[in-house]
Amino acid sequence: MYFLLNIFGVFVVMGIVFLCSPNKKAVKWPPIVSLLLLELLITWFMLGTTIGSWVINKIASFFTWLIECASEGIAFVFPSAMANETVDFFFGALLPIIFIVTFFDILSYFGILTWIIDKGGWAISKVSRLPKLESFFSIQMMFLGNTEALAVIRDQLSVLKDNRLLTFGIMSMSSISGSILGAYLSMVPAEYVFSAIPLNCLNALILVSILNPVHVTKEEDIIYVPPKSEKKDFFSTISNSMLVGMNMVIVILAMVIGYVALTAGLNGILGVFVNGLTIQKIFSFIFSPFAFLLGLPLQDAMYVAQLMGIKLATNEFVAMMDLKNNLDTLPPHTIAVATTFLTSFANFSTIGMIYGTYNSVLSEKKSAIIGKNVWKLIVSGMAVSLLSAMIVGLFVW
């Protein structure tokens, strides 16, 4: 019964997102079905085979190395902060952006990243039927995270029309950052974290194909290469990259502080009218039907709905800490779907981070496309998390 409910949940989520689509006639179903079948194959490969787990760990190791390099620079300036066992969000997740942006800008300077985007995007686009840049972005954000991934392709974003800029904003709700993988793995089972990463990215392609279908001509489906006249010398390039990265850190920091503080303020106001009422509890009530569709019994469904509310109102770290304390009391299926659902940045503060990134690497006018479509970002982020959890849940009982 619960297995059938899990399968039914996939169709319900897809149906609701389709109803939210402003351009239903433009939705192309064959590539969406192909992506769903690919997800089932990938999930079986990662959860059912040894080599699948090995491949994912090797990919993760590369991004862990990037973060370690970034940490060396941070530790030189803030040795006492980096010496702590628990590194603050600012030092562990934001400051590494400076090095990561610089590293990938070096790859762009020598044409390496442009080539990878072109070839990697071409391969994924054959399945997704989406443009090469969007297809590559889905791979790129598997471990880089939304803000870092957007910064890496900022030259590409600068020449796109608003409808495609919205596509990248919607997809960015479904990523995580390699810089905080270690924190995730210290709290929840690794196999479900690594399963969620590729599923989130493929589901992001599916959801954006429904919520914001965009037709791109063959002439437009190219990778932008800045003209030689705009190309600076190597040291000017990397110096500018570091400044861009630092500007992003400041903007994102402001957004995160502001949104978390607003949540606390809203909870205080709600508590005046109803004792103990919080925005997290309201979201838990709203998402409780979807928790049942994960194939969970009543008690577990209500607990997972609570985790959903915590994640959306604050962030996944708070929810994972709660889940960590209850792992010994939960069955495997509940652990699998809860962990998978929590492994993404889908919450309100992430919208602020995406808006801040657009504002810092593009312009205030360009970033307005995010502010006008907040509901699409929220629907996409939650739907991607639900679909990934439902697909993983099919393989773990």
Side-chain angles (χ1 to χ4, degrees):
M1 171 187 170
Y2 290 121
F3 180 79
L4 294 176
L5 193 60
N6 200 154
I7 295 177
F8 180 63
V10 174
F11 291 99
V12 170
V13 171
M14 295 283 288
I16 291 175
V17 174
F18 179 70
L19 291 175
C20 293
S21 175
N23 191 7
K24 298 178 179 61
K25 292 183 179 180
V27 177
K28 298 179 181 178
W29 290 104
I32 291 174
V33 173
S34 298
L35 286 171
L36 283 172
L37 293 175
L38 179 61
E39 288 187 40
L40 292 172
L41 179 62
I42 289 175
T43 307
W44 167 81
F45 178 68
M46 291 190 298
L47 295 180
T49 67
T50 303
I51 190 172
S53 178
W54 180 84
V55 169
I56 292 297
N57 279 321
K58 288 299 179 183
I59 296 173
S61 295
F62 168 71
F63 289 93
T64 301
W65 171 75
L66 282 181
I67 302 305
E68 289 173 352
C69 292
S71 296
E72 289 286 329
I74 299 169
F76 180 78
V77 181
F78 302 104
S80 57
M82 296 302 289
N84 293 332
E85 291 185 8
T86 55
V87 181
D88 292 338
F89 177 74
F90 176 73
F91 297 104
L94 291 187
L95 285 184
I97 291 174
I98 298 172
F99 171 71
I100 292 172
V101 169
T102 305
F103 178 84
F104 280 94
D105 275 359
I106 291 172
L107 295 185
S108 296
Y109 183 87
F110 292 108
I112 298 171
L113 183 64
T114 304
W115 184 87
I116 294 174
I117 292 175
D118 188 50
K119 303 307 177 186
W122 175 85
I124 297 297
S125 66
K126 290 301 179 182
V127 179
S128 68
R129 310 286 177 86
L130 287 171
K132 287 183 285 188
L133 186 60
E134 282 87 332
S135 300
F136 172 77
F137 185 74
S138 70
I139 304 173
Q140 186 186 38
M141 69 177 186
M142 283 176 65
F143 289 100
L144 272 187
N146 43 30
T147 54
E148 296 94 327
L150 288 169
V152 166
I153 62 167
R154 65 184 183 279
D155 285 340
Q156 313 292 328
L157 295 176
S158 65
V159 298
L160 297 184
K161 296 178 180 177
D162 283 355
N163 57 351
R164 289 184 73 186
L165 285 177
L166 178 58
T167 290
F168 289 96
I170 292 173
M171 292 176 66
S172 296
M173 290 293 289
S174 308
S175 69
I176 66 167
S177 172
S179 61
I180 48 100
L181 266 180
Y184 286 173
L185 300 181
S186 67
M187 294 184 284
V188 292
E191 61 267 31
Y192 305 131
V193 172
F194 287 125
S195 297
I197 293 170
L199 292 182
N200 286 346
C201 296
L202 292 176
N203 281 324
L205 289 173
I206 291 174
L207 268 296
V208 80
S209 298
I210 299 174
L211 272 178
N212 188 48
V214 175
H215 175 68
V216 177
T217 64
K218 188 175 181 180
E219 291 73 23
E220 291 177 309
D221 190 16
I222 59 174
I223 304 303
Y224 172 71
V225 179
K228 290 184 178 180
S229 59
E230 295 182 9
K231 192 172 184 178
K232 300 178 181 179
D233 63 89
F234 179 74
F235 288 101
S236 295
T237 298
I238 61 174
S239 297
N240 182 65
S241 299
M242 295 170 189
L243 292 175
V244 168
M246 190 64 215
N247 184 47
M248 284 181 62
V249 169
I250 294 171
V251 172
I252 293 165
L253 183 65
M255 292 291 177
V256 171
I257 292 173
Y259 274 94
V260 172
L262 282 173
T263 300
L266 182 57
N267 287 341
I269 295 171
L270 291 173
V272 171
F273 296 97
V274 180
N275 186 36
L277 181 64
T278 64
I279 191 67
Q280 291 93 324
K281 290 183 178 179
I282 293 174
F283 287 141
S284 298
F285 177 77
I286 294 172
F287 289 115
S288 57
F290 296 102
F292 282 108
L293 292 175
L294 290 170
L296 298 171
L298 177 61
Q299 185 176 354
D300 287 359
M302 296 310 296
Y303 174 64
V304 172
Q306 179 183 335
L307 295 178
M308 292 178 176
I310 294 172
K311 174 186 175 179
L312 182 58
T314 53
N315 58 55
E316 74 283 0
F317 278 107
V318 180
M320 280 187 180
M321 284 299 296
D322 194 300
L323 178 61
K324 176 185 178 182
N325 296 330
N326 291 280
L327 287 176
D328 294 337
T329 64
L330 298 172
H333 179 76
T334 302
I335 294 173
V337 297
T339 301
T340 306
F341 180 88
L342 296 178
T343 307
S344 76
F345 286 164
N347 53 49
F348 284 111
S349 60
T350 297
I351 297 176
M353 292 171 68
I354 295 170
Y355 179 86
T357 302
Y358 270 54
N359 202 22
S360 61
V361 302
L362 296 173
S363 67
E364 187 174 347
K365 183 178 179 181
K366 290 278 189 181
S367 61
I369 192 66
I370 301 300
K372 294 176 182 177
N373 292 274
V374 168
W375 71 270
K376 288 185 180 180
L377 272 69
I378 286 294
V379 168
S380 172
M382 297 306 290
V384 164
S385 296
L386 283 168
L387 281 178
S388 296
M390 288 170 177
I391 289 172
V392 167
L394 294 174
F395 293 86
V396 182
W397 293 94

